[in-house]
Amino acid sequence: MIEFVAENLAPIMFLSLVVFLLLGYPVAFSLAANGLLFFIIGVELAPLSDSINLSWPLLNALPERFWGVMSNDTLLAIPFFTFMGIVLERSGMAEDLLDTIGQLFGPVRGGLAYAVIFVGALLAATTGVVAASVIAMGLISLPIMLRYGYDRRIASGVIAASGTLAQIIPPSLVLIVLADQLGRSVGDMYAGALIPGLVLTGLYMGYILLMTFLKRDSMPALPLEARTLGSGVTSLIIALAVAAGIAYAAHVYLAPTQGENADILGATVGTAFIYVVALIDRALKINALSRLAQQVIIVLIPPLALIFLVLGTIFLGIATPTEGGAMGAVGALIMAAAKGRLNMEVVRAALAATTRLSAFVLFILIGARVFSLTFYGVNGHLWVEHLLVGLPGGEIGFLIAVNVLVFLLAFFLDFFELAFIIVPLLAPAADKLGIDLIWFGVLLGINMQTSFMHPPFGFALFYLRSVAARVPYLDKVTGKMTQPVTTGQIYWGAVPFVGIQIVMVALTILFPQMVMHYKGSGAVVDPSTIKIEVPGFGQGGGGLTLPDNGGGLGLPGGLQLPGGSPLDGGQQQPGQQNAPQQNKPPATDLSAPPSFN
């Protein structure tokens, strides 16, 4: 029995960790305690198995492993982006965006749902924090959607799903953690995840469009009296066309001097021009733009500028993700100050939330280091690798098995726990199968996004439940009694969006170029321009002349090879046949052994 335990210590250790987690113990302490417990067991059983490489001096490696965690500059991006998200959520940016975009899409059937998805994507690209997005949209949009007759399941599902876009659209916190665990660049992970995040947003909108045809009364358009900004879409289209024209003109003007950056600089000039025009138009009451156009431009451009400040500088190689996060935090403070909502209470709340999340991540990572020290010492990584690489179906079988495993574990674990426990075990097997780890990380990120929407443990569902009405209430605008949203309606509303994310996982597997574009097209080589020159050998004819002064291979006289080109069969040129041989050394006598005196 003891021999059996010694030979199978790795799977027993992994199953014990699962039991600890299912019993409800904190993840960080479960990892550390499990690692230390099995370290002691492994040291005692080491003489019984060749697969156990544990000894007491190995514990001396723990301080260095802890120091490696705390000195990791990449993880500094997590507190920066968390702080930025909390400050933006307190600055009122979400309220302004939801109100303005809701007015813009209001005349369209399902317009409020489109607005929630659009704003969810914008908040994801500026905050990267799921809780802030879901709570803000639940507080602001859900009462309005219920007021105007939206189906409760669709309304709650749209809000919960749109908030989880912060998981896959950069600057996502989970992408930072995945890049760190996979040993890859955060910038490459961001670039690879951008298109899948936008495609997923489009799938959400496609689902809303489909439902407007299948259930026409489930998402009515806003009534005319609710459109306080009035009409004015034509004015907005004209303003955008003018901005595009100015951007193109600036691009043409700057192209000779700025090169590839001319398009970005041109877009910046066009955007800044229309923003200044809108501000002047509102301040001086010129009314060249409609109220709707003014509001959309003034509300939408600052968060877009913040997105460019964070992601644009990272993609252009100007800043690292950590530096981009720091600039984003400063930009969020500036935006909050510009709205008059920056005070010590906001800063204190943002710092408290940032400290809690950073400490949470750090403790899990330290616990994971203790666990991995023992797990690797019992060759657990080889056990997992052999188990996964040996699956039938090769690479496709591996991807299907891994995605099913992560999908099921997401019912019980959140994305941080999955990233720190599961991903380090999967990465070596994926690398051995030749799978690009950036693509693999984005695929896992999309899959782990479902952990926020799984009934009954999805955190996004809990966030929405905490702000949704539990009892009937009197609507302040209509004066009518409004029924609450039940927990069952929230759960059933999330199910279609979980299905959409599974479809997105399949699309990412079928069309890997959505992620692999991060590598770029690479240099294009014209085969007709390739020229290979083979050097000749021997003296004369431009060949490779070896020394003839007694230094060749330790023998006097050097290595005598025939001159000429190898393409001529080594024949000398006619002018060389009768050339006088000056200072020709005597021939070497090979019948006697060489002398080294």
Side-chain angles (χ1 to χ4, degrees):
M1 181 64 181
I2 298 297
E3 289 79 5
F4 175 81
V5 173
E7 292 294 334
N8 297 277
L9 198 58
I12 293 173
M13 182 180 178
F14 185 78
L15 292 176
S16 299
L17 175 63
V18 174
V19 171
F20 273 119
L21 295 176
L22 292 178
L23 289 175
Y25 288 102
V27 175
F29 302 120
S30 297
L31 285 167
N34 192 273
L36 291 176
L37 173 63
F38 277 88
F39 187 94
I40 297 171
I41 296 173
V43 170
E44 297 298 325
L45 297 182
L48 302 178
S49 175
D50 294 335
S51 63
I52 300 178
N53 304 305
L54 296 176
S55 60
W56 293 115
L58 192 60
L59 285 177
N60 295 329
L62 278 180
E64 293 184 3
R65 293 171 73 84
F66 294 162
W67 175 249
V69 172
M70 292 183 285
S71 61
N72 189 343
D73 292 340
T74 302
L75 296 178
L76 274 176
I78 292 177
F80 283 138
F81 284 124
T82 305
F83 181 82
M84 180 182 75
I86 300 299
V87 171
L88 287 176
E89 186 259 328
R90 297 298 182 94
S91 72
M93 183 188 74
E95 291 94 327
D96 295 340
L97 282 171
L98 284 167
D99 180 60
T100 304
I101 304 302
Q103 295 279 334
L104 179 63
F105 287 103
V108 181
R109 189 181 298 274
L112 286 176
Y114 292 127
V116 166
I117 296 172
F118 183 80
V119 173
L122 276 179
L123 292 178
T126 50
T127 65
V129 181
V130 173
S133 300
V134 174
I135 291 173
M137 292 191 294
L139 286 171
I140 301 161
S141 296
L142 187 58
I144 300 175
M145 298 170 88
L146 298 182
R147 179 182 304 154
Y148 296 112
Y150 270 63
D151 183 278
R152 281 167 168 71
R153 289 182 296 182
I154 294 177
S156 57
V158 164
I159 292 173
S162 300
T164 62
L165 288 172
Q167 285 298 101
I168 194 62
I169 295 180
S172 162
L173 298 183
V174 71
L175 294 178
I176 297 173
V177 175
L178 284 172
D180 177 69
Q181 294 299 299
L182 293 171
R184 293 297 184 266
S185 162
V186 177
D188 287 345
M189 192 70 77
Y190 278 178
L194 188 59
I195 290 180
L198 296 177
V199 171
L200 184 60
T201 304
L203 290 177
Y204 286 173
M205 290 190 172
Y207 170 72
I208 297 300
L209 178 63
L210 179 64
M211 293 305 295
T212 57
F213 288 106
L214 297 179
K215 299 178 67 175
R216 296 182 59 85
D217 297 331
S218 62
M219 291 176 285
L222 278 180
L224 190 60
E225 62 271 14
R227 304 174 204 166
T228 56
L229 293 178
S231 59
V233 177
T234 304
S235 175
L236 178 62
I237 293 174
I238 293 173
L240 294 178
V242 171
I246 293 174
Y248 179 74
H251 164 74
V252 173
Y253 177 76
L254 296 171
T257 57
Q258 301 299 323
E260 294 181 355
N261 292 332
D263 51 353
I264 297 175
L265 295 174
T268 303
V269 170
T271 304
F273 172 80
I274 199 63
Y275 184 65
V276 171
V277 168
L279 289 176
I280 294 174
D281 189 57
R282 170 177 286 186
L284 302 180
K285 298 182 179 179
I286 301 173
N287 295 327
L289 297 171
S290 65
R291 287 182 60 204
L292 179 64
Q294 282 181 4
Q295 186 72 5
V296 169
I297 292 171
I298 292 173
V299 169
L300 199 58
I301 287 181
L304 290 177
L306 186 62
I307 292 171
F308 174 75
L309 180 67
V310 176
L311 297 181
T313 53
I314 294 174
F315 291 156
L316 291 174
I318 300 173
T320 65
T322 303
E323 294 165 347
M327 290 191 295
V330 174
L333 291 172
I334 294 172
M335 286 183 61
K339 291 179 177 292
R341 300 189 182 185
L342 182 62
N343 51 52
M344 285 306 299
E345 182 60 32
V346 170
V347 175
R348 188 181 298 111
L351 288 174
T354 302
T355 303
R356 281 195 300 270
L357 181 63
S358 301
F360 170 74
V361 172
L362 187 64
F363 269 94
I364 290 181
L365 196 49
I366 288 176
R369 286 291 186 267
V370 178
F371 177 83
S372 64
L373 177 70
T374 304
F375 197 67
Y376 278 64
V378 297
N379 285 330
H381 59 300
L382 298 178
W383 169 68
V384 174
E385 182 179 310
H386 294 158
L387 185 67
L388 295 176
V389 172
L391 289 172
E395 181 179 326
I396 297 299
F398 167 79
L399 291 173
I400 293 174
V402 164
N403 280 283
V404 170
L405 174 66
V406 171
F407 181 80
L408 294 177
L409 289 176
F411 277 91
F412 312 103
L413 304 176
D414 71 7
F415 71 94
F416 276 130
E417 295 158 357
L418 288 170
F420 288 134
I421 300 173
I422 302 301
V423 172
L425 303 179
L426 301 179
D431 195 34
K432 189 169 184 179
L433 288 170
I435 297 173
D436 184 270
L437 291 185
I438 292 291
W439 177 79
F440 187 63
V442 172
L443 184 67
L444 291 181
I446 298 171
N447 198 331
M448 285 191 284
Q449 188 180 343
T450 61
S451 67
F452 277 89
M453 291 194 297
H454 277 317
F457 302 113
F459 282 96
L461 308 182
F462 293 159
Y463 299 146
L464 183 58
R465 176 68 280 173
S466 68
V467 297
R470 295 176 179 269
V471 296
Y473 65 95
L474 191 66
D475 188 85
K476 296 179 180 179
V477 175
T478 62
K480 297 180 180 179
M481 188 62 67
T482 304
Q483 294 301 313
V485 179
T486 66
T487 303
Q489 288 170 337
I490 294 176
Y491 286 172
W492 281 111
V495 169
F497 291 94
V498 173
I500 290 173
Q501 290 190 235
I502 295 173
V503 171
M504 188 65 217
V505 170
L507 290 176
T508 307
I509 295 175
L510 293 174
F511 303 100
Q513 196 55 37
M514 283 195 295
V515 178
M516 298 301 291
H517 71 90
Y518 82 91
K519 289 186 173 182
S521 58
V524 179
V525 180
D526 183 4
S528 64
T529 62
I530 299 175
K531 184 178 180 181
I532 301 176
E533 295 183 356
V534 181
F537 293 90
Q539 301 174 355
L544 179 63
T545 306
L546 298 180
D548 197 20
N549 56 359
L553 300 180
L555 298 176
L559 181 63
Q560 310 246 340
L561 297 177
S565 168
L567 302 179
D568 306 77
Q571 298 296 323
Q572 290 184 328
Q573 300 298 324
Q576 296 176 344
Q577 293 177 357
N578 299 323
Q581 301 289 335
Q582 297 180 355
N583 301 324
K584 181 178 180 181
T588 303
D589 184 6
L590 299 179
S591 61
S595 174
F596 297 99
N597 295 327

